[in-house]
Amino acid sequence: MKPQPVRGMNDVLPEATVIWQYVEGLVRDVLQSYGYREIRLPLLEQTELFRRSIGEVTDIVEKEMYTFLDRNGESLTLRPEGTAGMARAGITNGLLYNQRQKLWTSGPMFRYEKPQKGRYRQFYQIDVEAMGYDGPDVDAELIIMSARIWERLGLSRLRLEINSLGTTESRQQYREVLVAYFEGVRDQLDEDSLRRLEQNPMRILDSKNPDLRAVIEAAPVMLDYLDEESRVHFAELCEILDAAGIDYTVNSRLVRGLDYYTRTVFEWITDALGSQGAVCSGGRYDGLVEKLGGKATPAIGWAMGVERLVSLFEACGGKAPDQNPDVYVVAVGDAALRASFELVETLRDEMPQLKIELNLGGGSFKSQLKRADKSGAMFAAILGADEVAKKELGLKPLRSDGEQLSIPFDKLAAALASQLQQVG
Ligand code: HAM
């Protein structure tokens, strides 16, 4: 039997990585242009970090984490998301002490979810966090920055939903209203929700059970219970977005599945990818850093799912620039092969950007030329014993019907530069 990957975990093959790199590169350029700096974090953290940040009574912590004991008996978890690790790293490294940080990171996340198109057990995120900023201006800038990313990538069919969850204190009041409501419809709740009613009633709102949809639809909404400061914060955010020409809808049902959120939450959703439509989601988490033992630090961020981003890029007709070689070196016979090594390495010194593929594994002139064509290269550089003796090679255009040229070895870089310029 052929070995299989772990269910829900995918190989990203070279044809796909070309697109991934292009998309990730564009995103990175935008993030850096807004002053975000990269941070790289471990894939493993102590389990306790996620329990405390994401919340004990959430789908992620209850059902989806890859948790194990290491050889020392310590409980570790493969990160299901990036925000907890970011906050932890901010505290550990003293990055938040009288400082503000605009950071981004990327890499794989792990959740034991039911795999389907767009939903995997290992998936990649690009995660952005602004820590130490409390105003609605940074909320707006983060959203505007994501809109700029869509524009750079040529994406359409994305809509923005926003909501406010208030402060931890105002949520307490809402919690009481919510409990009273759900107590009244107790007989319609499932087992999970009855348990959550005691422990974390807001998490009933993101139940995936379709039978609960009507009950959840009719539940009171947080927006009606916002404290004054959160109300003003949300109104200012809306004003900045309006002025910036960003379309959004206020979705008072948007609660997000992680406990650390306060105030602003948002999601960019597409209808182009089937049921897994959330491409980028985030929000404010003003209490998290303090809860984890750091100095009180307001913060906000978002994460985008790279698989979904790439799928949407392709669905919108996006293409990565091709990565075919510029020149494929055909070297027939031992003398030619030996000479071609020196030639190619000199060329790499002279033109570091040039993509050069040297024919490996020998073969007849015909079969090498076939490979050259298949590689997608613009030109074949052809060497045989005669060419080596004359210190000249044949430069054959493969994508146009131009003539094959004879080029002295030491003029190859100049000839290629001018030929490549001609073909654009
Ligand atoms: P999240 O909504 O759980 O938020 O995930 C963010 C994004 O990751 C989603 O919008 C989706 O694109 C992608 N995603 C999530 N789960 C999967 C999966 N199983 N397969 C494929 N893609 C997936 C967070 O993770 C927060 N840490 C975001 C954040 C950053 N909030 C503040 N700062």
Side-chain angles (χ1 to χ4, degrees):
M1 219 175 60
K2 275 198 256 173
Q4 297 294 326
V6 174
R7 190 162 129 81
M9 303 199 178
N10 300 308
D11 303 313
V12 185
L13 300 180
E15 296 74 46
T17 56
V18 174
I19 306 171
W20 281 51
Q21 285 176 2
Y22 179 65
V23 167
E24 289 169 339
L26 281 178
V27 175
R28 190 187 52 222
D29 290 349
V30 174
L31 300 182
Q32 288 177 350
S33 77
Y34 279 76
Y36 284 79
R37 298 184 304 156
E38 185 181 5
I39 180 167
R40 297 191 186 195
L41 301 171
L43 268 55
L44 283 173
E45 297 277 358
Q46 285 162 356
T47 303
E48 190 55 19
L49 175 72
F50 300 117
R51 291 185 169 282
R52 287 174 66 193
S53 325
I54 299 168
E56 295 278 355
V57 189
T58 56
D59 276 357
I60 295 182
V61 170
E62 284 181 339
K63 305 175 188 168
E64 297 172 0
M65 295 204 305
Y66 283 88
T67 296
F68 62 96
L69 296 180
D70 74 0
R71 288 172 189 278
N72 208 18
E74 191 177 3
S75 180
L76 301 180
T77 293
L78 275 169
R79 62 182 184 190
E81 58 104 49
T83 310
M86 283 273 211
R88 198 268 310 136
I91 300 168
T92 316
N93 299 291
L95 302 180
L96 304 172
Y97 205 76
N98 294 332
Q99 295 175 69
R100 307 193 295 181
Q101 296 289 344
K102 295 203 284 185
L103 301 170
W104 69 273
T105 195
S106 67
M109 308 290 159
F110 303 84
R111 294 184 195 175
Y112 192 81
E113 291 196 81
K114 202 162 174 225
Q116 61 177 89
K117 188 179 176 302
R119 189 164 74 197
Y120 309 106
R121 289 183 174 170
Q122 174 174 326
F123 60 97
Y124 288 74
Q125 280 187 349
I126 298 171
D127 181 282
V128 175
E129 313 288 354
M131 295 196 258
Y133 297 82
D134 60 2
D137 52 356
V138 67
D139 305 22
E141 193 190 60
L142 271 168
I143 290 173
I144 291 168
M145 183 169 78
S146 50
R148 180 164 295 284
I149 291 172
W150 313 147
E151 190 197 310
R152 281 280 173 89
L153 290 170
L155 304 188
S156 54
R157 296 175 71 178
L158 273 161
R159 64 192 166 79
L160 174 65
E161 292 190 350
I162 61 174
N163 192 22
S164 176
L165 302 179
T167 56
T168 317
E169 297 77 46
S170 60
R171 268 232 298 286
Q172 200 52 37
Q173 192 202 346
Y174 173 59
R175 183 192 157 108
E176 283 163 28
V177 178
L178 208 56
V179 170
Y181 167 78
F182 281 123
E183 285 291 359
V185 292
R186 210 185 162 87
D187 53 330
Q188 298 175 50
L189 298 183
D190 62 7
E191 208 180 300
D192 250 7
S193 306
L194 285 171
R195 193 170 39 81
R196 288 180 174 185
L197 183 54
E198 310 297 326
Q199 298 168 328
N200 192 353
M202 268 189 75
R203 289 283 76 86
I204 302 177
L205 299 174
D206 41 49
S207 163
K208 289 172 188 141
N209 182 351
D211 298 341
L212 294 186
R213 205 165 290 152
V215 175
I216 291 172
E217 262 311 298
V221 295
M222 180 65 218
L223 268 187
D224 295 336
Y225 297 88
L226 282 190
D227 52 286
E228 181 57 14
E229 238 181 280
S230 297
R231 204 187 52 71
V232 171
H233 185 108
F234 192 58
E236 283 180 19
L237 167 64
C238 292
E239 267 175 39
I240 304 176
L241 292 179
D242 289 337
I246 304 276
D247 287 334
Y248 58 87
T249 46
V250 175
N251 175 1
S252 56
R253 306 272 161 208
L254 181 66
V255 288
R256 309 270 303 122
L258 304 98
D259 277 356
Y260 51 61
Y261 288 116
T262 52
R263 293 195 174 148
T264 312
V265 288
F266 55 91
E267 240 165 41
W268 286 96
I269 301 162
T270 179
D271 61 4
L273 300 178
S275 60
Q276 300 307 311
V279 175
C280 172
S281 334
R284 201 162 251 296
Y285 48 96
D286 291 341
L288 180 61
V289 173
E290 191 176 18
K291 184 170 184 194
L292 294 177
K295 188 170 150 251
T297 306
I300 178 167
W302 53 241
M304 43 181 77
V306 179
E307 289 82 357
R308 295 183 194 177
L309 188 64
V310 166
S311 296
L312 185 60
F313 176 71
E314 291 185 294
C316 293
K319 292 207 171 18
D322 82 57
Q323 295 203 342
N324 298 335
D326 297 303
V327 54
Y328 189 103
V329 180
V330 166
V332 186
D334 288 346
L337 182 65
R338 273 192 293 277
S340 68
F341 273 107
E342 195 187 331
L343 190 73
V344 159
E345 292 309 320
T346 308
L347 193 57
R348 291 189 204 279
D349 287 340
E350 289 168 337
M351 300 176 79
Q353 302 303 327
L354 202 69
K355 295 194 281 296
I356 308 166
E357 193 167 337
L358 175 59
N359 183 78
L360 298 174
S364 66
F365 173 70
K366 207 172 148 201
S367 69
Q368 291 197 32
L369 206 60
K370 232 180 180 171
R371 283 190 203 135
D373 191 43
K374 207 170 154 204
S375 77
M378 295 297 288
F379 294 95
I382 301 167
L383 285 99
D386 288 354
E387 283 79 5
V388 174
K390 283 195 276 176
K391 291 197 178 303
E392 272 185 15
L393 55 82
L395 191 62
K396 181 179 167 60
L398 296 174
R399 310 290 139 206
S400 65
D401 22 273
E403 295 272 298
Q404 178 170 324
L405 306 170
S406 272
I407 311 285
F409 281 3
D410 60 356
K411 299 277 182 320
L412 180 57
L416 270 171
S418 98
Q419 290 292 315
L420 283 166
Q421 205 173 20
Q422 279 176 38
V423 293

